Amino acid sequence: MDALDLLVRNTSEVLTLEGTHREKAEVALTPRPGACVGVRGGRVAYVGPEKELPAGAVGPSTEVVDAEGGFVGPGFVDPHTHLVFAGERSAEFDLRNQGATYLEIAKAGGGIVSTVRATRAASEDELVRLALPRIHRLLAHGVTVAEVKSGYGLDLENELKMLRVVRRLGALTPMELVPTLLCAHAVPEEYRGRREDYVRLCIDEIIPAVAREGLARFCDVFVEDSAFTVDEGRRILTAARAHGMVPRLHADQLTACGASELAAELGAATADHLEQVTESGLRALAEANVTAVLVPTSTLFLRMRPYAPGRRLRDAGLNIALGSNVNPGSAMSENVALVLGLACLENGLSAAEAYWAATRGAAQSLGLQSHGRLAVGDAGDLVVFGCASYRHLPYHLGVGHARVVVKAGRVVVRQQMNSCA
């Protein structure tokens, strides 16, 4: 065997996640007690007992990482973020804590449109500078892949600018970024009273321009009473699909508005949020095999109830993914550990189901079949945790335990921490 580039040894267990979401999650995680992991050429080359490593596997150039009894799993995949933006909305946060609602703040000129003003005014260089620390905080939690949406430009020039920033960030950081066009995030101020003109702008100009530059893999629409109607969402996503982009939806977050049914109708990759999903919407998603992306930090941040019914979605047979929803208005946090804890405490998932949702389930939602898993041949993205079991992650609420983060076989984060066993 040719020498490995990296070997991680002395683990409590390695979670390879070679199962499916239809299995019991504890089984789907496919734990390998005491295994080691070898990476070569950016791909997993060996998983198994250290004593069975082939001759020549460890050479002079092999980097050896001692897990010190911690567990190892694939890098986290964050399937829902808004990492690129300018400005901040701490004043709105304060207003919400005094009783103002999300919709009241939006109608008063705050909300998404306030971030649009700041983002339009920022240069590409400034947006890159502002986003880099957010990416590094996610990396420190063990996130090696993240989806990133536009949606704070809301015109041709600025939506293109945001997606170009995403492309630049992907070249500047170890994190793999998956771009999503979200021109249908809100109706911009200059189009108030002219909704149809803005929908036509999305369909006739923004989507074709993004497709020509190859700037987005997905197209998302915020279907909501305060954003876009089901019919508008259908038209925009149908146009995007004709240009090679895969549909996704912000669905049933604030009201039950038929967005889940639309996601099923369109065969969307994901329906995200789902706090207000109805039983008919849930059944439609299950029948269409749409992944449910839960973002519980956002529900907490907005002081809303209920949380998305993760237990019912899981029991209905849906693949579940967990996202941070990092954004300036409804989830200003890169704390993936908090996401895992809330998914158990409030969405009703088990620790194993939450871990699946943050790794393999999320990767599948983005169409990344070799990510979120540690089988031979998969991407060499992995995390060495400072605890012996994945069950500790949601239990030790809001505390990150990623000690070493590896992207494509290269150590990109190394943090000192005491064992939490």
Side-chain angles (χ1 to χ4, degrees):
M1 183 180 191
D2 292 339
L4 299 167
D5 300 323
L6 178 83
L7 177 69
V8 181
R9 60 176 300 275
N10 193 21
T11 75
S12 62
E13 62 181 1
V14 175
L15 303 181
T16 61
L17 284 97
E18 295 175 81
T20 75
H21 73 273
R22 300 191 184 281
E23 297 176 271
K24 186 175 176 61
E26 289 81 359
V27 174
L29 298 188
T30 50
R32 305 283 293 276
C36 65
V37 183
V39 182
R40 186 193 313 106
R43 296 277 168 180
V44 176
Y46 179 82
V47 182
E50 186 172 356
K51 65 183 180 181
E52 295 180 13
L53 273 169
V58 180
S61 64
T62 303
E63 181 173 8
V64 178
V65 174
D66 187 345
E68 299 179 13
F71 86 93
V72 172
F76 287 133
V77 177
D78 192 335
H80 186 127
T81 82
H82 303 256
L83 283 169
V84 176
F85 61 87
E88 58 98 67
R89 284 153 59 183
S90 59
E92 292 180 15
F93 179 80
D94 202 28
L95 287 172
R96 273 201 308 277
N97 293 333
Q98 297 175 56
T101 68
Y102 182 91
L103 293 177
E104 287 169 347
I105 291 170
K107 289 177 180 178
I112 291 169
V113 294
S114 67
T115 300
V116 171
R117 295 186 206 109
T119 303
R120 285 179 174 179
S123 67
E124 278 194 29
D125 288 346
E126 185 177 1
L127 291 173
V128 167
R129 179 182 62 81
L130 291 168
L132 281 171
R134 300 166 196 147
I135 289 175
H136 291 151
R137 285 189 284 269
L138 284 175
L139 268 172
H141 273 274
V143 176
T144 54
V145 179
E147 181 263 11
V148 186
K149 304 177 191 296
S150 64
Y152 295 126
L154 304 188
D155 63 20
L156 177 59
E157 176 188 356
N158 287 289
E159 287 293 299
L160 289 172
K161 177 177 73 175
M162 290 190 69
L163 290 169
R164 289 170 184 150
V165 167
V166 175
R167 184 166 59 190
R168 286 179 60 184
L169 289 165
L172 289 171
T173 72
M175 190 178 292
E176 187 173 341
L177 303 180
V178 179
T180 294
L181 172 64
L182 181 58
C183 55
H185 198 190
V187 177
E189 291 179 297
E190 66 269 25
Y191 280 90
R192 285 183 179 169
R194 297 190 295 131
R195 296 178 60 87
E196 177 58 22
D197 289 345
Y198 185 66
V199 171
R200 293 306 323 172
L201 179 71
C202 291
I203 293 171
D204 295 338
E205 296 187 38
I206 298 177
I207 289 171
V210 168
R212 279 194 299 271
E213 291 195 38
L215 288 171
R217 189 179 305 176
F218 296 93
C219 182
D220 196 344
V221 173
F222 187 11
V223 175
E224 187 53 69
D225 289 349
S226 59
F228 293 85
T229 67
V230 167
D231 181 63
E232 290 165 344
R234 179 184 294 109
R235 291 166 58 200
I236 292 167
L237 290 172
T238 299
R241 187 165 55 191
H243 282 84
M245 293 176 229
V246 179
R248 307 184 61 175
L249 283 88
H250 282 57
D252 297 331
Q253 178 188 6
L254 306 174
T255 60
C257 56
S260 294
E261 289 86 346
L262 176 62
E265 173 192 328
L266 295 174
T270 69
D272 302 30
H273 283 285
L274 299 174
E275 287 90 340
Q276 305 291 338
V277 66
T278 63
E279 286 300 322
S280 64
L282 188 155
R283 288 194 299 273
L285 292 173
E287 290 171 5
N289 199 29
V290 177
T291 292
V293 178
L294 311 185
V295 287
T297 311
S298 188
T299 319
L300 174 71
F301 200 90
L302 291 175
R303 305 182 71 200
M304 294 179 65
R305 293 293 187 275
Y307 280 75
R311 177 78 274 133
R312 297 205 328 267
L313 291 161
R314 166 79 187 184
D315 289 347
L318 275 80
N319 180 43
I320 307 293
L322 280 175
S324 68
N325 194 24
V326 177
N327 77 81
S330 66
M332 193 57 200
S333 174
E334 298 91 348
N335 192 326
V336 176
L338 180 60
V339 176
L340 290 166
L342 290 172
C344 296
L345 291 168
E346 299 289 357
N347 296 121
L349 301 183
S350 70
E353 289 164 348
Y355 190 84
W356 167 276
T359 51
R360 188 62 177 158
Q364 290 180 334
S365 80
L366 297 176
L368 301 175
Q369 296 308 317
S370 67
H371 292 68
R373 187 177 63 183
L374 291 178
V376 171
D378 284 338
D381 300 357
L382 58 89
V383 183
V384 179
F385 292 93
C387 48
S389 170
Y390 67 87
R391 292 183 177 88
H392 194 92
L393 302 183
Y395 159 71
H396 200 165
L397 187 64
V399 176
H401 292 294
R403 192 167 64 79
V404 177
V405 182
V406 174
K407 176 65 183 174
R410 184 170 66 90
V411 174
V412 294
V413 175
R414 196 186 295 270
Q415 303 176 119
Q416 294 298 321
M417 61 180 63
N418 296 323
S419 171
C420 59

